Amino acid sequence: MNNVQFYSFALSPYALKVHCYLLALDIDFETIFVDAMKMRKILPVGKTVPVLTINNESRNESSEIGLWLHELYPEKHLAPPELITKIQIAEKWVNEQLINLAFRDTVGFDDPIIRKYKKRLHLSKVLGETSPDGVSIIFRLFHMIFLEKTFVRNNIAMTDTSRRLGDLRIELAIEFRELLEGGPFLCGSKSPTIADLSAYPQIVKPKAIDGLDYFLPGDTVATWVSNVEKAYPKLLDCFPEGIKYSQSPL
């Protein structure tokens, strides 16, 4: 039996991807939420999450981890060889388009100031509740005020900040429909692949955490979410229980 340890940071989009891979595999693994101030000391490799360690071997890049897991558990068909090129294209779209725009929404870049800081207050609460020893009030305050000036500024800068978030979300929904290629899952696949598992938490996060609409609009997206959840009913477990909307609405 493999010894699997998953180092995570609550609501990190890249960590959420890997968490969904692991849930889909239906294997035993230990989730370790790391202290934001001590990550470099705690992580077995790299400087930030996600990190996955299996039998003392560690990887720390989410897309690479997905392919690694497919190699270790090929019977789960997370990356069928005939679809690997398409999956890599879809993965790139998730990383460079979907996640970057989701970062912009998460920090409230386009929101009125009250809504912006309500979102950040929620994020700082999540940070405090999932860090092993909590975080100080001072850190939470600075996290709220200066969040968009941290590493996420690069993700936000990769979006077209001159355009409305709502318009960009509609465009991404159209691109998403094209990536489905008429199939129930991305890349025209008949079953979910790592591409679907990467996109899923980014799209459902606003609803799972805040009770809002899915991040991408439209019936096509809603049908795809339903298909993914029927295939893997436990995927919402990628969000810690205490921060789901049903328990901690804004």
Side-chain angles (χ1 to χ4, degrees), residues 16 19-20 23 200-201 203-205 207-209 214 225 228-229 232-241 243-244:
L16 287 170
H19 204 151
C20 284
L23 291 169
Y200 173 82
I203 291 174
V204 304
K205 183 165 65 172
K207 187 168 186 177
I209 301 302
Y214 294 130
V225 169
V228 172
E229 291 179 344
Y232 296 119
K234 297 181 181 179
L235 288 188
L236 282 176
D237 289 347
C238 71
F239 302 104
E241 265 320 304
I243 62 174
K244 291 180 182 177

Side-chain angles (χ1 to χ4, degrees), residues 10 21 33 36 58 87 106 108 163 165 195 201 225 240:
Y21 303 158
F33 287 111
S58 299
I87 288 172
T106 297
R163 299 184 58 202
L165 178 63
V225 169

Side-chain angles (χ1 to χ4, degrees), residues 75-92:
E75 68 279 4
K76 296 293 185 176
H77 305 293
L78 296 186
E82 68 275 13
L83 294 178
I84 192 64
T85 299
K86 291 182 178 181
I87 288 172
Q88 290 173 326
I89 291 172
E91 269 281 284
K92 183 177 181 181

Side-chain angles (χ1 to χ4, degrees), residues 96-206:
E96 297 182 0
Q97 301 294 326
L98 183 57
I99 286 179
N100 286 336
L101 204 63
F103 262 124
R104 179 170 154 181
D105 180 55
T106 297
V107 303
F109 182 84
D110 302 80
D111 291 323
I113 191 165
I114 293 177
R115 177 61 182 168
K116 175 185 294 188
Y117 284 104
K118 284 185 71 175
K119 283 185 175 181
R120 295 184 185 184
L121 176 63
H122 194 203
L123 289 174
S124 69
K125 179 183 178 184
V126 170
L127 181 65
E129 291 182 351
T130 56
S131 294
D133 300 315
V135 293
S136 69
I137 296 297
I138 293 176
F139 182 88
R140 288 177 63 172
L141 180 62
F142 274 82
H143 181 263
M144 285 175 57
I145 296 174
F146 299 110
L147 181 57
E148 69 187 59
K149 299 185 184 299
T150 61
F151 71 95
V152 301
R153 69 182 182 276
N154 296 322
N155 298 86
I156 295 172
M158 291 181 70
T159 69
D160 187 348
T161 55
S162 68
R163 299 184 58 202
R164 293 178 62 252
L165 178 63
D167 292 339
L168 294 173
R169 288 168 64 180
I170 291 172
E171 289 185 5
L172 282 194
I174 294 172
E175 293 174 8
F176 182 86
R177 185 165 63 243
E178 293 172 351
L179 287 169
L180 282 172
E181 297 186 11
F185 302 104
L186 292 170
C187 309
S189 178
K190 295 181 180 179
S191 61
T193 70
I194 58 175
D196 298 279
L197 297 171
S198 296
Y200 173 82
Q202 327 307 334
I203 291 174
V204 304
K205 183 165 65 172

